[in-house]
Amino acid sequence: LSTTSEHPVKHLVVIGVGLIGGSVARALKHAGFVGHVTGVGRSRENLDRARELGIIDHWTHDIAEAVHDADVVLVAVPMGAYDRVFAELAISLPKGALVTDAGSTKQHAIDVARRHLPDPSLFVPAHPIAGTEQSGAEASFAELFEDRSCILTPEPSTSLKAFDKVKALWSATGSHVIEMDARQHDDLLAAVSHLPHLAAFALVNAVRKQGDEQHDPFKFAAGGFRDFTRIASSSPEMWRDIAISNRPALVKEIDALQAELVEMKKALINGDGDKLLKLFSAAKKARDEWLEKHGGSL
Ligand code: NAD
């Protein structure tokens, strides 16, 4: 292994070398935080490309083989693959090795880790609040996490030493680390991330269904439609998995959006312009304040 003792993490194993896994590997290499990086995935083409690009040093399809001498394992696969991936990595995870992840929902990650890992106190769940609608190693870049937040959701039983090391790892990617309870994270993200994705998918479908042979509504779609629906170009598989792994919170958020739409619909039916103005103005004020306070990011 091409490592020196200067690296805080000698051997990092990245399971799922996609946009997120690839970007973490790039950022940590760039920061000199990791020595050797092993990539694990399913597609030979993606893994070969990741090696060519210098994102990983070598790769295998075999999770158990990859992790047997790992110091830290990063799980960066879609939520639907968690159960299988954690079961496989638990087979040969060495004693004392730390595990972190990048999954978009945290309670599910914790439940899976508890079910499979020999020592769940060495699992430190994480969710970097950064991404694009692109997938795969080719789309990854070292600066993805710079000045973005990364939420860690440790349990009371999480090892303090493990937490500190994983916190240092995510900080080395350039992100600001925030600590939060997993359930609180899942509720919050259902509102600000998962619901917008579902709404974007729903809007595109609603418009799509209005088209026919003679009449293509997308022909007339402009900037507003493009802005609102950018995230409907995200990976359908990834978003299916996120939605399924955060069901109760997401159902509550859909009810909240539905209630807002019903209120607007009522105002429209009644020709109540004042009511619409009030609803639109409250939303504009909240969004403007968010941009001013947070620059549009968490
Ligand atoms: P991606 O599709 O770019 O990468 C996922 C990688 O995992 C792919 O290379 C795929 O081949 C691999 N993979 C899938 N199933 C696997 C399995 N069973 N074993 C091994 N490898 C497998 O997706 P991504 O955007 O990098 O997302 C990865 C994780 O990060 C997801 O859990 C996602 O919810 C989370 N996340 C995504 C974003 C985002 O905006 N894209 C942001 C934060 C967190």
Side-chain angles (χ1 to χ4, degrees):
L1 300 184
S2 59
T3 59
T4 74
S5 54
E6 290 155 35
H7 301 118
V9 171
K10 286 200 196 76
H11 183 200
L12 172 74
V13 175
V14 177
I15 305 177
V17 191
L19 171 72
I20 300 295
S23 296
V24 173
R26 283 186 198 256
L28 293 180
K29 277 194 164 218
H30 192 249
F33 198 87
V34 294
H36 193 84
V37 180
T38 299
V40 190
R42 299 165 309 172
S43 144
R44 186 192 179 102
E45 202 188 333
N46 183 58
L47 292 164
D48 274 338
R49 188 73 190 119
R51 217 178 88 77
E52 271 166 34
L53 291 167
I55 300 170
I56 53 176
D57 299 300
H58 103 280
W59 65 259
T60 163
H61 291 306
D62 187 336
I63 294 177
E65 177 201 316
V67 305
H68 84 278
D69 62 352
D71 296 306
V72 177
V73 177
L74 166 70
V75 177
V77 299
M79 300 306 303
Y82 266 51
D83 206 58
R84 228 202 70 206
V85 163
F86 274 79
E88 278 182 34
L89 79 86
I91 296 170
S92 64
L93 191 69
K95 209 165 171 264
L98 309 186
V99 181
T100 185
D101 78 319
S104 304
T105 63
K106 300 295 6 138
Q107 194 56 51
H108 180 68
I110 289 171
D111 293 344
V112 172
R114 272 204 206 121
R115 192 152 57 238
H116 294 295
L117 294 185
D119 183 356
S121 77
L122 298 182
F123 173 56
V124 185
H127 178 204
I129 309 295
T132 71
E133 66 280 15
Q134 312 279 319
S135 300
E138 185 92 47
S140 68
F141 54 102
E143 300 77 24
L144 178 63
F145 308 106
E146 246 163 48
D147 282 329
R148 308 304 301 267
S149 296
C150 178
I151 303 176
L152 301 190
T153 63
E155 297 267 273
S157 57
T158 304
S159 142
L160 212 61
K161 231 173 124 186
F163 177 80
D164 287 344
K165 184 98 179 208
V166 169
K167 184 177 173 181
L169 180 149
W170 283 105
S171 300
T173 66
S175 57
H176 304 294
V177 174
I178 299 172
E179 205 182 317
M180 202 183 281
D181 171 75
R183 292 240 177 252
Q184 189 191 357
H185 165 280
D186 290 357
D187 288 347
L188 220 121
L189 271 291
V192 299
S193 170
H194 310 164
L195 181 69
H197 280 80
L198 259 68
F201 288 131
L203 182 78
V204 175
N205 278 336
V207 173
R208 175 178 66 81
K209 286 177 186 164
Q210 287 165 39
D212 55 38
E213 300 265 294
Q214 281 90 48
H215 158 79
D216 173 13
F218 292 111
K219 221 167 108 184
F220 305 100
F225 187 83
R226 177 179 282 270
D227 287 352
F228 189 92
T229 61
R230 178 182 61 81
I231 52 182
S233 290
S234 304
S235 157
E237 291 84 10
M238 191 176 100
W239 281 96
R240 170 202 57 198
D241 290 357
I242 292 171
I244 290 287
S245 69
N246 201 17
R247 269 173 291 170
L250 194 44
V251 166
K252 252 177 53 201
E253 291 306 325
I254 290 175
D255 286 344
L257 179 64
Q258 241 171 348
E260 288 297 325
L261 286 172
V262 165
E263 214 177 337
M264 285 183 189
K265 187 173 163 186
K266 266 194 218 150
L268 276 177
I269 290 169
N270 297 334
D272 188 347
D274 289 348
K275 179 76 185 175
L276 283 182
L277 189 64
K278 232 168 132 182
L279 293 172
F280 297 170
S281 302
K284 176 175 163 49
K285 184 166 174 276
R287 186 171 191 278
D288 289 350
E289 279 172 9
W290 163 63
L291 283 176
E292 202 174 302
K293 251 195 247 161
H294 301 285
S297 66
L298 192 80

